[in-house]
Amino acid sequence: MDYKELIKLALSAKEKSYSPYSNFQVGAALLTKEGKVYTGTNIENAAYTPTNCAERTAFFKAVSEGEREFNAIAVCGSLKGSEEPDYCYPCGVCRQVMIEFCDKNDFEIIVIKDLENYKVYKLKELLPFGFSPLDLQ
Ligand code: THU
């Protein structure tokens, strides 16, 4: 699957956002090494702290289905109704979840502004000196 397709899936996942408290809508599309895609959106909560980010929703859906190997994740986010979305970068907690399952030298994070404008990073660029399962060996 090419990244444009993955980006489209992230953009449409954003439409499912449950974000009545922040009105900030996030979408993610996670690509497995076998080419399967798991989408996710942010799910907020009246008690605030149970909120789950879009990226983690996608990872937890995939991992709970038995997936363990991933190539890339596409992420977009903007305030509801915003005319000019900006690039949306994964939060620190989501980066930590990524390094649990992904090789920091290979795994790619596609940060989306819109269908034509996106940037691609390796996980190691967004989480330098990250703590991973390798540190416990
Ligand atoms: N959010 C995400 O879904 N992913 C991120 O990486 C950044 C933040 C969500 C959480 C919350 O629902 C809203 O954006 C505002 O923080």
Side-chain angles (χ1 to χ4, degrees):
M1 161 171 297
D2 71 13
Y3 282 171
K4 281 267 175 172
E5 282 305 308
L6 201 64
I7 288 166
K8 280 186 198 162
L9 291 169
L11 287 166
S12 72
K14 190 176 86 157
E15 300 306 312
K16 306 237 172 62
S17 172
Y18 177 76
S19 44
Y21 307 105
S22 73
N23 285 316
F24 194 79
Q25 302 179 306
V26 186
L30 175 63
L31 180 64
T32 71
K33 286 201 171 159
E34 285 186 338
K36 200 165 168 191
V37 176
Y38 291 83
T39 59
T41 194
N42 55 328
I43 305 168
E44 298 188 344
N45 190 282
Y48 292 6
T49 52
T51 292
N52 206 55
C53 289
E55 299 91 319
R56 275 178 289 142
T57 301
F59 264 94
F60 296 159
K61 280 169 70 178
V63 172
S64 65
E65 294 298 320
E67 303 287 357
R68 293 291 186 274
E69 296 195 314
F70 304 100
N71 268 350
I73 190 167
V75 184
C76 60
S78 58
L79 274 177
K80 191 176 181 180
S82 154
E83 306 266 306
E84 281 189 47
D86 203 352
Y87 296 101
C88 177
Y89 287 81
C91 80
V93 174
C94 289
R95 295 178 202 200
Q96 186 64 37
V97 168
M98 291 174 198
I99 207 170
E100 182 68 27
F101 296 104
C102 306
D103 183 333
K104 65 182 183 214
N105 299 304
D106 290 339
F107 186 72
E108 294 194 314
I109 299 164
I110 304 142
V111 179
I112 306 162
K113 187 171 184 182
D114 54 46
L115 205 46
E116 308 306 324
N117 296 286
Y118 59 91
K119 301 178 191 178
V120 182
Y121 298 89
K122 297 285 188 195
L123 178 55
K124 70 172 171 209
E125 295 179 271
L126 296 192
L127 193 58
F129 306 106
F131 189 80
S132 80
L134 297 174
D135 293 296
L136 296 178
Q137 285 175 8

